[in-house]
Amino acid sequence: MICRLMKPLTESAIALARDQFAFEGIYVADRWIGSGRINDTRLVITIGPTGHIYRYILQRLNTDIFTKPLEVMENIAKVTEHLRKKCLERGGDPKRSVMALIPAKDGKPYWVSPEGDFFRVTYFITGAISYDEVDDPKVFEEAGRAFGEFQRDLSDFDGESLYETIPHFHDTLSRYETFEKAVLEDKAHRAKKVQDVIEEFRKHKQIAVLFAELQQNGTLPIRVTHNDTKLNNVMIDEFSGKGLCVLDLDTVMPGLSCFDFGDAVRYGANKASEDERDFSKVGIDLELYEAFAKGFVSGLEGKLLPAEIDHLADGAMCMAFELGLRFLTDYLNGDVYFKASYPESNLDKAKVQLTLLKDMIAHEKEMRGIIQKLNR
Ligand code: GN1
Ligand code: MG
């Protein structure tokens, strides 16, 4: 997985890609949008004959990471079709509530450039906001509801029909082994100076072992999950304030609901951002945590088993641990996976997750209490 190999996208490559898709109206402008760490994303604006403005998202998929892009697209097509059906059954508006792919002019839901770059286009949902950070518990509760409803709507979807787009994505124990391998190989000659951080991570391996056991002994069921539940992957309706649509379906795969919950919490209920460099600001915001839990559990409408509810707090700790491990592994490997904005950025991000994990452990009782209270 060598993200760095993806060449920067030039304006002429973007223009060529843009021309391949069947947009409505005439092209007006496009610009970079979003803060994803993997794919490259442009907002494209067109105008129709009556002056109507259309907005689209043009994306280059990172094929060093998603090595089988056609399988990613097939998963997305199946899942969105299912979600659309559910939305219509409820009398909802799938145009605003379900991500929709726009075909290329040749009818395929993607276009591959002469350089082998893989592009796709989706509608941009207007009148909705995606947040990188949130202070308002109501907004975070709505994000929780949207991710909960997403799992609810996929609870009767056949997970076996999905490809595993990134194998072992949330297999924290395997992430741990990859981390130890990176320490041993020490490709970027950075291990020595971060020995203390490495040791700190080693102390928390137990959380990964716990989830491996819970999965193996069947305590936690495998569901169809999103697997990348960052706050900015959900659109919130600008007018009603309601969670509207879940985006970024590249990693929809069989997984654990505790991890969708946990990944969202470790990102959105951190008092500081994922990129914070002042680690004293990092910690779990229990008010935001409670809000997300409330939305998530109610969005799932009783579909969560008691064992899953019991392990939601552990899921948050496990995801902070896992992401911390992934950032540190990438730092040790020489920043080849995540886009690194400055030389130590992956190390700093690893420290943020570690600090967050330790703060969650310090507040473990409160975190469990909040979930129990909800469940009463
Ligand atoms: C990546 O691309 P983005 O920002 O949605 C990553 C997630 C991490 C996240 C950390 C496919 O997501 O797993 O949680 O960065 N996605 C992939 O910011 O590895
Ligand atoms: Mg993503």
Side-chain angles (χ1 to χ4, degrees):
M1 287 183 190
I2 307 178
C3 168
R4 219 174 30 186
L5 284 184
M6 294 291 291
K7 285 203 205 94
L9 210 42
T10 61
E11 289 299 323
S12 61
I14 293 165
L16 182 64
R18 226 173 37 216
D19 279 351
Q20 312 306 318
F21 287 88
F23 296 112
E24 284 179 78
I26 298 165
Y27 168 77
V28 176
D30 67 327
R31 64 169 168 83
W32 293 110
I33 187 171
S35 50
R37 303 202 190 273
I38 307 292
N39 300 322
D40 297 300
T41 310
R42 302 281 286 195
L43 172 71
V44 179
I45 297 170
T46 67
I47 188 164
T50 57
H52 185 86
I53 298 286
Y54 299 93
R55 289 179 177 81
Y56 300 91
I57 293 294
L58 169 71
Q59 215 172 31
R60 178 177 72 163
L61 199 68
N62 186 325
T63 44
D64 289 331
I65 288 173
F66 295 103
T67 53
K68 295 181 179 163
L70 293 181
E71 296 188 355
V72 171
M73 298 308 285
E74 220 177 286
N75 277 3
I76 295 177
K78 280 186 199 150
V79 165
T80 51
E81 190 192 320
H82 186 90
L83 293 174
R84 205 165 297 121
K85 234 187 282 165
K86 291 273 166 169
C87 177
L88 286 170
E89 278 166 23
R90 274 196 302 276
D93 176 5
K95 265 203 143 165
R96 297 202 79 218
S97 304
V98 185
M99 208 189 87
L101 290 163
I102 306 297
K105 287 177 181 163
D106 64 6
K108 291 192 184 131
Y110 58 87
W111 176 72
V112 183
S113 76
E115 289 84 42
D117 279 345
F118 195 98
F119 290 89
R120 63 183 172 197
V121 169
T122 54
Y123 275 114
F124 177 83
I125 297 166
T126 47
I129 310 173
S130 88
Y131 294 81
D132 279 323
E133 282 173 39
V134 66
D135 311 312
D136 182 354
K138 280 207 191 78
V139 172
F140 205 39
E141 181 179 337
E142 282 307 314
R145 195 179 328 281
F147 282 121
E149 287 173 353
F150 180 82
Q151 263 183 40
R152 175 203 65 194
D153 286 354
L154 291 173
S155 61
D156 57 349
F157 180 89
D158 174 19
E160 298 271 310
S161 74
L162 292 177
Y163 293 105
E164 211 181 344
T165 50
I166 301 184
H168 301 287
F169 192 63
H170 282 315
D171 177 345
T172 314
L173 213 44
S174 127
R175 296 285 188 183
Y176 187 85
E177 282 154 18
T178 309
F179 151 73
E180 287 290 10
K181 190 167 165 264
V183 176
L184 264 182
E185 291 179 350
D186 196 16
K187 283 186 189 146
H189 312 291
R190 289 167 161 178
K192 206 168 154 204
K193 66 173 177 188
V194 295
Q195 202 54 41
D196 53 336
V197 188
I198 294 173
E199 287 307 330
E200 288 245 38
F201 271 98
R202 284 183 172 143
K203 282 188 206 150
H204 298 286
K205 183 182 173 188
Q206 184 48 36
I207 188 81
V209 175
L210 170 74
F211 274 97
E213 283 169 4
L214 290 170
Q215 229 173 304
Q216 266 155 25
N217 64 25
T219 306
L220 297 178
I222 303 292
R223 299 180 178 275
V224 177
T225 50
H226 184 280
N227 297 305
D228 186 6
T229 49
K230 276 165 78 165
L231 173 66
N232 52 23
N233 281 336
V234 56
M235 302 298 287
I236 306 285
D237 193 310
E238 214 174 331
F239 309 104
S240 68
K242 297 276 172 215
L244 195 59
C245 178
V246 167
L247 306 175
D248 193 355
L249 305 183
D250 296 336
T251 50
V252 173
M253 285 181 280
L256 299 181
S257 57
C258 295
F259 286 170
D260 268 8
F261 174 80
D263 199 17
V265 163
R266 68 110 207 133
Y267 182 87
N270 184 352
K271 286 179 194 158
S273 86
E274 209 177 51
D275 302 299
E276 181 59 60
R277 293 160 90 166
D278 176 355
F279 308 123
S280 70
K281 290 187 181 157
V282 174
I284 180 77
D285 181 323
L286 290 171
E287 200 187 345
L288 286 177
Y289 169 82
E290 177 164 9
F292 189 89
K294 209 165 137 191
F296 186 75
V297 172
S298 80
L300 263 140
E301 285 180 11
K303 293 224 175 328
L304 284 177
L305 302 180
E308 291 176 290
I309 294 176
D310 284 349
H311 290 290
L312 288 176
D314 298 300
M317 293 182 222
C318 191
M319 286 298 101
F321 177 62
E322 182 183 289
L323 258 294
L325 275 180
R326 290 178 63 194
F327 289 134
L328 185 56
T329 302
D330 199 30
Y331 177 74
L332 293 168
N333 286 339
D335 309 315
V336 290
Y337 187 96
F338 294 107
K339 290 174 187 166
S341 45
Y342 59 94
E344 306 281 282
S345 80
N346 270 312
L347 175 62
D348 286 347
K349 287 205 282 263
K351 288 183 184 169
V352 166
Q353 295 303 312
L354 180 66
T355 311
L356 178 63
L357 170 62
K358 291 201 279 191
D359 194 56
M360 285 183 187
I361 294 172
H363 292 94
E364 188 175 339
K365 227 172 132 194
E366 290 106 303
M367 286 174 73
R368 292 194 195 287
I370 285 168
I371 305 285
Q372 272 163 16
K373 199 174 78 187
L374 278 182
N375 201 25
R376 244 184 258 137

